[in-house]
Amino acid sequence: MILVFLNGQPKRLSTGNATGNANEISLTQAIAVWEYTEKNFAVAVNKQFVPHSNYHKTVLNEGNHIEVIAPIQGG
Amino acid sequence: MRWNIGGKTLSSRLFIGSALYPSPEIMCNAIKASGSEVVTVSLRRQNPSENAGGQFWDIIKNTGLHILPNTAGCHSAKEAITTAQMGREIFATNWVKLEVIGDDYNLQPDPFGLLEAAKELIDQGFEVFPYCTDDLVLCQKLVDVGCTILMPWGAPIGTGQGLLNPFALKTLRARLPGIQLLVDAGLGLPSHACQAMELGFDGVLLNSAIALAHKPAAMAGAFASAVDAGYWAYQSGTMPQRQAASPSSPIVGQPFWHQADGRDQP
């Protein structure tokens, strides 16, 4: 179990399985756990943009800050 | 009159924002009435339980317009660069309205962060539309790092005060003849947009003046007409100003010319 921050809110994530390491969880897994069903979002981890194609090989660690953003009105 | 900007061909020189409208329907009507072909959008945190972003994006996609994602709210080059990258993935465009805010009271761009972010994003293949102040040296430096489009403010965002420093804007037009200039922010009236175009600007970007009007669609049409009027005024060449009156009707042949009237007679 690790503690990360999703859009500034603390979230606990269970680790293990997908990456073969019991202490790790991938961004793909985290997105699934958080039930983001829409595809029109983008993600940054610790202020670094992570392309969709890299979610599966992005490993989240304790204390990571994950931003998930989506389109909104703007001027 | 069609024109090219950022690799795209447009007819309208009015870019419109998508924020602050009373409803999505009113926004769509205003966008349509404006004749705009470019609409600005933003990005915000999305919680799993929400789908507001998806609904909004569906509406904007249905307009068929070019999307100009902004980096509104970013206070550093790093934040702006990351936000631009995220916008490129979501909206599938290399266009970005680059905002790096240096002062929250005025929402004044941070020239140093803006320059740093613009250079990096251009290196990454973005078409950068930097929201900047009207400072000539900043604008020159943005051009030096590769910007071919600049968007100096007319006044602080959302104030509706119009062009606070026409001298500076005229200077930009004169000193940066090969650069496409759009006034972004601070316009409140169609006459403000017309004035910007009369100065030789290539376009204007605005949001609040239309969205906060009592009749947004009607105001959008008014801005479209004003942009056209200002554009053609600049293209037509304006007359020089004079200090003294100069009659437009011919003097020669004027009735009663040099004829004494009754008041001159004893």
Side-chain angles (χ1 to χ4, degrees):
Chain A
M1 185 79 76
I2 60 171
L3 176 67
V4 298
F5 296 88
L6 171 63
N7 292 339
Q9 298 298 314
K11 300 279 183 186
R12 294 205 173 274
L13 285 172
S14 297
T15 56
N17 298 328
T19 60
N21 186 326
N23 297 316
E24 292 181 349
I25 182 168
S26 72
L27 183 55
T28 300
Q29 291 174 288
I31 290 294
V33 167
W34 292 326
E35 297 182 336
Y36 279 101
T37 54
E38 295 295 318
K39 292 181 179 175
N40 54 306
F41 62 83
V43 176
V45 176
N46 296 337
K47 294 191 175 181
Q48 293 282 349
F49 167 61
V50 181
H52 266 279
S53 56
N54 286 354
Y55 287 1
H56 68 286
K57 55 186 177 185
T58 299
V59 175
L60 298 182
N61 295 304
E62 176 81 14
N64 281 173
H65 287 261
I66 300 103
E67 298 283 335
V68 179
I69 63 174
I72 195 170
Q73 299 88 338
Chain B
M1 182 68 71
R2 295 180 74 74
W3 64 302
N4 296 313
I5 184 166
K8 295 179 173 31
T9 302
L10 307 176
S11 297
S12 171
R13 292 174 179 270
L14 172 58
F15 290 18
I16 193 167
S18 58
L20 303 175
Y21 294 91
S23 72
E25 182 184 9
I26 292 174
M27 176 188 75
C28 289
N29 290 339
I31 290 173
K32 188 174 181 184
S34 74
S36 296
E37 294 161 290
V38 176
V39 61
T40 56
V41 296
S42 196
L43 292 166
R44 286 294 179 272
R45 285 171 167 172
Q46 170 90 59
N47 289 320
S49 58
E50 302 168 341
N51 187 26
Q55 293 161 0
F56 168 73
W57 181 221
D58 287 342
I59 292 170
I60 291 295
K61 271 192 296 190
N62 285 337
T63 66
L65 303 186
H66 299 296
I67 305 298
L68 179 57
N70 70 27
T71 62
C74 292
H75 287 74
S76 69
K78 173 64 181 166
E79 289 176 7
I81 291 166
T82 301
T83 303
Q85 292 169 326
M86 297 166 94
R88 179 162 64 177
E89 181 175 77
I90 289 177
F91 300 113
T93 176
N94 68 336
W95 281 17
V96 61
K97 176 185 166 182
L98 182 60
E99 297 184 42
V100 182
I101 298 302
D103 179 80
D104 282 329
Y105 183 78
N106 272 345
L107 295 179
Q108 181 164 338
D110 168 5
F112 310 103
L114 184 66
L115 192 63
E116 179 185 347
K119 182 177 188 310
E120 175 62 27
L121 290 171
I122 287 169
D123 288 346
Q124 293 184 19
F126 281 86
E127 190 68 64
V128 176
F129 294 63
Y131 164 61
C132 55
T133 60
D134 51 24
D135 183 90
L136 174 61
V137 177
L138 166 63
C139 289
Q140 284 176 323
K141 289 188 179 297
L142 286 166
V143 171
D144 290 344
V145 299
C147 291
T148 59
I149 301 159
L150 299 175
M151 300 206 299
W153 65 356
I157 294 170
T159 61
Q161 296 188 46
L163 308 186
L164 293 182
N165 194 347
F167 173 80
L169 297 175
K170 272 189 215 176
T171 302
L172 292 180
R173 181 66 293 167
R175 296 295 301 278
L176 302 170
I179 300 302
Q180 291 185 303
L181 300 174
L182 293 85
V183 167
D184 176 13
L187 305 185
L189 295 169
S191 57
H192 299 155
C194 187
Q195 186 187 7
M197 299 304 291
E198 286 172 349
L199 294 178
F201 274 61
D202 297 280
V204 300
L205 194 166
L206 59 111
N207 191 157
S208 303
I210 292 175
L212 301 182
H214 294 175
K215 298 178 180 177
M219 185 61 84
F223 267 99
S225 298
V227 168
D228 278 348
Y231 170 78
W232 284 112
Y234 181 74
Q235 295 299 318
S236 304
T238 52
M239 64 164 280
Q241 289 189 352
R242 301 187 182 104
Q243 291 300 314
S246 177
S248 49
S249 300
I251 300 294
V252 177
Q254 180 181 335
F256 319 118
W257 176 248
H258 283 181
Q259 217 179 81
D261 61 25
R263 290 175 302 183
D264 296 334
Q265 295 175 3

